[in-house]
Each structure stands twice: as C-alpha cells, then as structure tokens.
C-alpha cells in the first residue's frame, strides 16, 4: 500500500546517504556506480521489510516495487545533483527534546549542512504536499516546524522532498532557496522574510504544545467538513453537537 511504499523510499534513501554522505559524494559517482548503489539500497530496504513482516512479498510484487523505486530514486537524485554543495549530518537520527516541559522523541528524516554552515531540515513525502501547510496559527504539517524550534544550530531552510512519481521536486521555505535547492518555484521566501517565519513558527509550536499540556481540546476541525469527510471515528466525535449550540442571535449554528 501507499504507506509501505513511503517506508521503502525513506529506508532506501537513509541507506543511500549513509554511504554517500554528501553532494560531492553523489556527484563523484558515475552513472553505472549510481545505478548499482541505488539498486543495492532499494534491495536492502525491501528485504528488511520482508524480514520484519515475517511473510514474503510475492516475487512478482517484489520485483515490480524494486524497479519502480529504483527509477524513482534515480530521478530524485538527479535533482539533488543540481543543488549547491551540502553534507548530510544526520538521517533518521533519534533525539529527545524538551518542549515547554514535555519530553518528545523526534526523528527527522534528514539534516543537511550547507556550505555556509547553516542547516536545512528535510522531510520526505511520497504524497501531495505544499509548503503552505506550514503557514497559519494551526499549520497542517507542524513536524518540520517542531524540528526547527528544537534546532540548536542556525537553520536557513525547511523542505519537503517530494517523491511522488511524475511530480518530483522541492516544496521549501528559506533563504537563498533558488541557489541552495536549484528550484525556480515562486514564493520560496515566506511572507515577511525567513527570520519572521522562524519566529512565527516557534510561536505556533509553543502555542500548540501549551494547549496540549493544558488539555485544550476544542471541537474545531481545521477545514470543517473536508477534515471530517473520511474520518472513521464519527460515532465518538462531538462535532455534530457543536452544530446544535445556539448562536448569539438565538438561532442554531449551521
């Protein structure tokens, strides 16, 4: 399923960068060397999955996923070659951070160190995502914002690495994004500039963590009916009751 395919991609890229280590290491590989390394990492990722499940994927299914993921990673790494030099500091490294008295265990997909010493925090996504998911008081995708708030070094970019067949590329906010990520997407500098975005993000993370600590659980779906459309917990939810609360003018709220 899609979740499994996402796990395969994450694991294969973790293995690849643990061996390759940097933009320089990637660029130094010949075409045949790159192909061999990708295939080796994909094969290890799939074999680890099969062993962990205790049951074997059908050979034909395994072979099909091996070919699909190998081609996907080849295309992705070709986009990585276009970037300015970077070094991989960490991949899938577990950390424990204190967030306003809460101890959280986090595991960022990847942390790059750029040529100027600043960090770029990267989260791989195999589905459809947009960088606007980091905006607003209640961001849809706060994971990278949490990593940003917990970072002990200067961070100059956060990025979704989009590994969707037919739609490979970056969704990124930061400083000097066109140069660092070789992308010409517009609006890569967030509204008000990167430093202001960092401040807003830390405020949002702080507010969300404080609400969690205090047990705040308002029935307030971010996108209303769209949020609830495919929910499997409707029998236990209070959202229908909210619609029956009288409004200030004496009418029931819709």
């Amino acid at each position: 399923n899609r979740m499994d395919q996402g796990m395969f991609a994450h694991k294969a890229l973790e293995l690849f960068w643990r061996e390759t280590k940097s933009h320089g290491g990637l660029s130094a590989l010949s075409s045949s060397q790159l192909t061999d390394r990708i295939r080796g990492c994909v094969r290890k990722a799939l074999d680890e999955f099969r062993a962990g499940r205790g049951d074997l994927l059908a050979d034909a299914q395994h072979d099909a996923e091996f070919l699909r993921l190998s081609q996907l990673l080849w295309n992705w790494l070709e986009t990585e070659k276009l970037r300015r030099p970077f070094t991989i500091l960490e991949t899938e490294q577990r950390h424990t951070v204190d967030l306003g008295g809460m101890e959280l265990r986090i595991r960022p997909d990847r942390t790059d160190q750029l040529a100027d010493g600043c960090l770029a925090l990267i989260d791989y996504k195999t589905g459809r995502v947009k960088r606007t998911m980091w905006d607003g008081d209640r961001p849809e995708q706060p994971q990278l914002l949490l990593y940003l708030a917990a970072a002990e070094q200067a961070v100059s970019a956060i990025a979704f690495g989009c590994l969707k067949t037919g739609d490979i590329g970056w969704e990124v906010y930061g400083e000097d994004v066109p140069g660092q990520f070789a992308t010409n997407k517009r609006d890569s500098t967030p509204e008000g500039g990167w430093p202001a975005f960092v401040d807003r993000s830390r405020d949002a993370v702080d507010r969300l963590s404080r609400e969690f600590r205090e047990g705040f659980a308002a029935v307030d779906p971010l996108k209303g009916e769209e949020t609830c459309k495919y929910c499997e917990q409707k029998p236990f939810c209070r959202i229908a009751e909210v619609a029956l609360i009288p409004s200030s003018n004496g009418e029931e709220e819709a």
Side-chain angles (χ1 to χ4, degrees), residues 88-107:
I88 307 293
L89 285 187
E90 295 179 346
T91 59
E92 304 287 349
Q93 185 69 40
R94 296 179 185 273
H95 295 274
T96 300
V97 298
D98 182 276
L99 191 65
M102 289 194 303
E103 187 177 276
L104 301 179
R105 290 186 293 273
I106 63 174
R107 189 174 68 177

Side-chain angles (χ1 to χ4, degrees), residues 130-147:
K130 297 180 180 179
R131 54 188 176 272
T132 52
M133 290 178 169
W134 299 316
D135 293 336
D137 293 335
R138 293 170 60 193
E140 293 181 64
Q141 291 279 347
Q143 189 173 9
L144 275 172
L145 304 184
L146 171 59
Y147 302 158

Side-chain angles (χ1 to χ4, degrees), residues 243-254:
L244 299 176
I245 297 175
S247 64
S248 58
N249 61 8
E251 300 177 355
E252 290 186 352
E253 294 182 347

Side-chain angles (χ1 to χ4, degrees), residues 32 53 89-90 112 114 120 126 143 163 184 200 212 214 219 233 235 238-239:
S32 61
R53 281 290 180 91
L89 285 187
E90 295 179 346
D112 289 4
L114 307 178
T126 53
Q143 189 173 9
L163 295 159
N184 58 3
R200 291 198 304 271
F212 182 83
E214 296 174 356
V219 183
Q233 306 301 324
R238 294 170 290 145
I239 188 63

Side-chain angles (χ1 to χ4, degrees), residues 118-121 134 144-145 148 154-159 172-177 188-202:
C118 291
L119 305 183
L121 308 178
W134 299 316
L144 275 172
L145 304 184
L148 176 62
V155 177
S156 62
I158 58 173
V172 54
Y173 273 161
E175 296 179 314
D176 190 23
V177 167
S188 54
T189 300
E191 183 179 352
W194 174 250
F197 173 80
V198 172
D199 290 340
R200 291 198 304 271
S201 298
R202 287 173 174 162

Side-chain angles (χ1 to χ4, degrees), residues 17 20 31 55-56 89 93 111 113 120 126 136 147 149 155 200 221 226:
W17 285 118
T20 309
S31 179
D55 59 347
L56 300 181
L89 285 187
Q93 185 69 40
T111 302
Q113 186 171 48
T126 53
Y147 302 158
V155 177
R200 291 198 304 271
E226 183 179 346

